[in-house]
Amino acid sequence: MPCHVVLGGQWGDEGKGKIVDYLAAGAHAVVRFQGGANAGHTLVLGGRRLALHLVPSGIGHPGCLGVLGNGMVIDPVALLEEIASLEKLGLEVRGRLRVSSAAHVVLPCHVLQDRVEERRRGGSPVGTTGRGVGPAYADKAARQGVQMGIFLRPEGEARARLRETLERKRELLQALDPGVDFDVDAMLGPVLACREQVAPLVCDTTALLQDLLDEGRRILLEGAQGAMLDLDHGTYPYVTSSSCTSAGALVGSGVPPQEVAAVTGVVKAYATRVGNGPFPTELAGEEGDRLRQIGQEYGATTGRARRCGWFDAVAVRHAARVSGFTELAVTKLDVLDGFESLRVAVGYEQDGKKLRRMPVGAEDLERCRPEYVEFAGWRTSTQGCRSLLDLPGGARRYLDLLQEHAGIPVRIVSVGPDRDSTFRA
Ligand code: GDP
């Protein structure tokens, strides 16, 4: 059972990229299984910063394959730009990247549709990243999508298929908003121009992964976004359009459940959320600003300021149960170093009733008030710590508190952005 799933246990941006990079040492492949260029992972390898959106976070390990699985939606133009920017930094990417022929293509009309639909939502937008991911998934579910295998077809056939899709989308968008228009051929050009470079990457990745598992190779399945943004188990409708759970990891890669040996839930030592939707432990005032400043909580994909708050053990318990976390990786512990006192939400109160579990859907969660336990801060730097024993006693007790209330053992701790500032607990 050499397969290890790594997932976001909160609202995304937990530092999954960094933990995947840490766990990828010795792995044969790292597989993205959902989402698209709406993800943004930052890796810091020996002071060098890598910004990843589509390319899996194992790319920092020379022998490791990066697989974009069938569950993803992929903007081919964005993919080639990302590969070029990584190759400029001296990484060999192309030869190590495989793209599922069953993954769906994000077209420029999806990006346009994303913006038009957000505009039409008026005062309550979802807060999407505007990368066309939601509309591409909607087309997939409506059986109107185009799969990456299109780039393996003869040019004329690919052109005709893509043109037909763009023409249909143009009609649809004009019905939504008569002010929206685009030139189909102008939009088609850059997509078809990707064909020659994308085609060699496209293959049957499900077969590839099954062969690797048969050979006993270790593979990592890398989640994007996080449990509270999951389409089915998150705070609908303020969610992403794919499944960020371990079940989603299987669907989006073609790996069967009995191959999974471990599921790591990555959580920050506090909580953040980008975009709209309920966030019970949000800190609106100065403390929130302080967390944002120290934690540098600005989106890697959009640059947007993240909403910040205290660790919510109710939300993490929910994530852990749905995905079967076997361990937690706690990141950004160092961000709390200077705080005099900390809080952890261990339950909610909703209309006078005490809740231990997250209610379903955004409206009910909006009415929940967190019940906190207070904790005295350790007021000492953890940045140079490289083992549990190096940590100040207060930081160790804080980790104990998190694992007690989350119900899952903390096995990995991160105290800085660099690969080296991660250790096993
Ligand atoms: P992801 O999408 O879950 O991979 O998370 P992001 O990459 O969007 O956000 C995590 C950010 O925090 C990145 O800029 C990381 O370099 C940084 N980071 C990760 N772990 C730590 C940590 O332990 N301490 C600090 N200070 N920064 C960290």
Side-chain angles (χ1 to χ4, degrees):
M1 296 198 295
C3 183
H4 189 153
V5 182
V6 185
L7 303 170
Q10 296 163 317
W11 279 272
D13 309 312
E14 298 93 346
K16 296 174 294 292
K18 187 197 146 153
I19 299 299
V20 168
D21 168 67
Y22 175 74
L23 291 170
H28 199 86
V30 175
V31 186
R32 278 278 308 274
F33 55 83
Q34 44 79 225
N38 54 344
H41 308 300
T42 310
L43 303 188
V44 185
L45 310 180
R48 196 171 52 165
R49 229 179 160 73
L50 306 186
L52 304 175
H53 297 284
L54 288 161
V55 173
S57 302
I59 206 71
H61 294 276
C64 189
L65 280 181
V67 177
L68 276 57
N70 58 281
M72 286 190 77
V73 290
I74 299 165
D75 178 336
V77 179
L79 178 64
L80 292 182
E81 281 172 8
E82 188 171 331
I83 294 172
S85 77
L86 292 170
E87 291 192 336
K88 224 187 253 171
L89 293 173
L91 288 173
E92 203 280 297
V93 182
R94 246 163 259 257
R96 293 195 282 135
L97 211 58
R98 305 285 183 274
V99 176
S100 168
S101 53
H104 277 247
V105 183
V106 176
L107 293 165
C109 59
H110 291 125
V111 177
L112 190 59
Q113 185 179 350
D114 207 347
R115 294 186 184 150
V116 171
E117 286 176 347
E118 276 289 81
R119 231 181 9 243
R120 282 170 56 83
R121 288 183 189 115
S124 39
V126 172
T128 78
T129 56
R131 299 292 160 116
V133 167
Y137 273 121
D139 278 0
K140 171 181 173 177
R143 290 154 297 175
Q144 294 174 354
V146 179
Q147 293 175 300
M148 289 299 286
I150 193 83
F151 292 108
L152 297 177
R153 309 302 304 162
E155 215 220 311
E157 189 184 326
R159 179 184 293 277
R161 180 72 212 286
L162 289 167
R163 174 177 283 132
E164 181 203 326
T165 304
L166 292 180
E167 277 168 355
R168 189 165 24 81
K169 191 62 83 176
R170 184 166 164 266
E171 273 174 33
L172 190 111
L173 285 178
Q174 288 204 315
L176 275 180
D177 181 345
V180 175
D181 199 5
F182 59 84
D183 179 328
V184 166
D185 283 314
M187 201 175 252
L188 193 56
V191 180
L192 277 174
C194 295
R195 189 169 155 272
E196 212 168 290
Q197 288 191 65
V198 167
L201 310 177
V202 177
C203 66
D204 177 352
T205 55
T206 300
L208 167 76
L209 294 175
Q210 288 173 354
D211 287 348
L212 291 178
L213 290 169
D214 287 347
E215 291 163 17
R217 310 275 194 177
R218 196 164 83 84
I219 65 175
L220 256 69
L221 304 183
E222 173 185 8
Q225 291 87 42
M228 300 307 133
L229 300 177
D230 179 75
L231 182 58
D232 289 87
H233 299 283
T235 57
Y236 192 90
Y238 301 102
V239 291
T240 198
S241 33
S242 61
S243 175
C244 323
T245 60
S246 40
L250 306 179
V251 172
S253 62
V255 169
Q258 65 271 27
E259 296 287 355
V260 176
V263 183
T264 303
V266 184
V267 294
K268 274 181 203 175
Y270 49 99
T272 61
R273 169 165 203 159
V274 186
N276 295 323
F279 180 19
T281 62
E282 181 169 14
L283 288 164
E286 252 175 50
E287 270 174 318
D289 292 344
R290 193 170 161 202
L291 273 175
R292 186 173 311 110
Q293 275 321 107
I294 302 175
Q296 281 300 294
E297 296 296 352
Y298 299 93
T301 303
T302 58
R304 281 185 291 185
R306 295 175 184 147
R307 300 156 66 193
C308 297
W310 298 123
F311 188 90
D312 185 341
V314 186
V316 174
R317 279 201 298 271
H318 171 68
R321 290 300 294 270
V322 169
S323 281
F325 291 169
T326 54
E327 61 179 21
L328 290 182
V330 176
T331 63
K332 297 195 134 179
L333 187 65
D334 54 301
V335 173
L336 301 181
D337 284 349
F339 281 75
E340 302 73 34
S341 69
L342 307 168
R343 289 175 175 196
V344 170
V346 297
Y348 296 149
E349 195 197 293
Q350 188 199 45
D351 306 330
K353 268 198 321 222
K354 289 197 186 301
L355 301 182
R356 287 279 298 160
R357 290 189 180 200
M358 268 194 52
V360 176
E363 279 167 21
D364 273 358
L365 188 59
E366 204 77 76
R367 303 209 318 277
C368 288
R369 299 287 154 260
E371 280 192 13
Y372 286 117
V373 292
E374 301 267 349
F375 190 87
W378 45 91
R379 315 284 310 273
T380 319
S381 174
T382 56
Q383 283 174 14
C385 297
R386 294 296 175 263
S387 76
L388 209 53
L389 287 178
D390 288 347
L391 286 177
R396 278 207 302 272
R397 285 192 295 280
Y398 183 70
L399 293 174
D400 286 345
L401 185 78
L402 300 191
Q403 66 182 8
E404 178 193 336
H405 289 285
I408 303 292
V410 173
R411 296 261 194 260
I412 299 171
V413 179
S414 166
V415 290
D418 209 274
R419 183 189 271 174
D420 299 338
S421 49
T422 320
F423 52 86
R424 289 227 160 248

